[in-house]
Amino acid sequence: QVQLAESGGGLVQAEGSLRLSCVASANLLRVNRMGWYRQAPGKPRELVAVDTGRAKNYADSVKGRFLISRDDDKHSAYLYMNELKPEDTAVYYCYANIWTPSRPSGDYWGQGTQVTVSS
């Protein structure tokens, strides 16, 4: 069974930086896509950034401030968040589409980590 474990959220002042980490654990897996979504109170979950292995896509609101990277050897992805704004405050969820022998294309989610940006 695939599990995604996130870390790195917290409280930061505006213009500060944070790094989120996500690692996928399971036997015999390959990461197809890996990225981050976020959900602010009263709003729908939205894509922040995703690394497909061929391209990196970002929400317009974070372009130029956030950077996603992945380490396939470690089945991990990282989100470097710079110049944080109060409107970036949300629960951030790691997402991955993963190949396993029993499930060639499965979507998985982390438990979420809170990011709070104070003004």
Side-chain angles (χ1 to χ4, degrees):
Q1 183 176 354
V2 176
Q3 292 184 325
L4 301 182
E6 302 152 334
S7 60
L11 174 64
V12 64
Q13 290 187 333
E15 299 301 315
S17 299
L18 282 175
R19 188 190 80 160
L20 303 183
S21 301
C22 178
V23 58
S25 61
N27 293 325
L28 296 177
L29 66 84
R30 182 181 69 241
V31 175
N32 297 321
R33 300 185 302 277
M34 205 163 187
W36 299 88
Y37 284 70
R38 68 185 181 187
Q39 188 167 20
K43 295 186 177 181
R45 191 173 296 190
E46 63 175 358
L47 173 69
V48 177
V50 63
D51 188 328
T52 68
R54 297 182 178 181
K56 300 180 181 183
N57 300 314
Y58 297 90
D60 287 342
S61 59
V62 306
K63 283 180 180 177
R65 300 189 297 122
F66 290 13
L67 176 69
I68 187 171
S69 67
R70 61 190 262 185
D71 184 334
D72 288 342
D73 290 339
K74 297 181 179 179
H75 304 142
S76 297
Y78 308 94
L79 185 67
Y80 298 86
M81 304 185 293
N82 302 306
E83 302 176 26
L84 282 161
K85 304 175 181 181
E87 49 264 44
D88 294 318
T89 295
V91 177
Y92 284 69
Y93 295 91
C94 179
Y95 157 81
N97 181 274
I98 289 174
W99 178 95
T100 62
S102 60
R103 192 179 181 191
S105 181
D107 290 326
Y108 301 91
W109 294 89
Q111 78 284 357
T113 185
Q114 177 70 45
V115 172
T116 302
V117 184
S118 63
S119 57

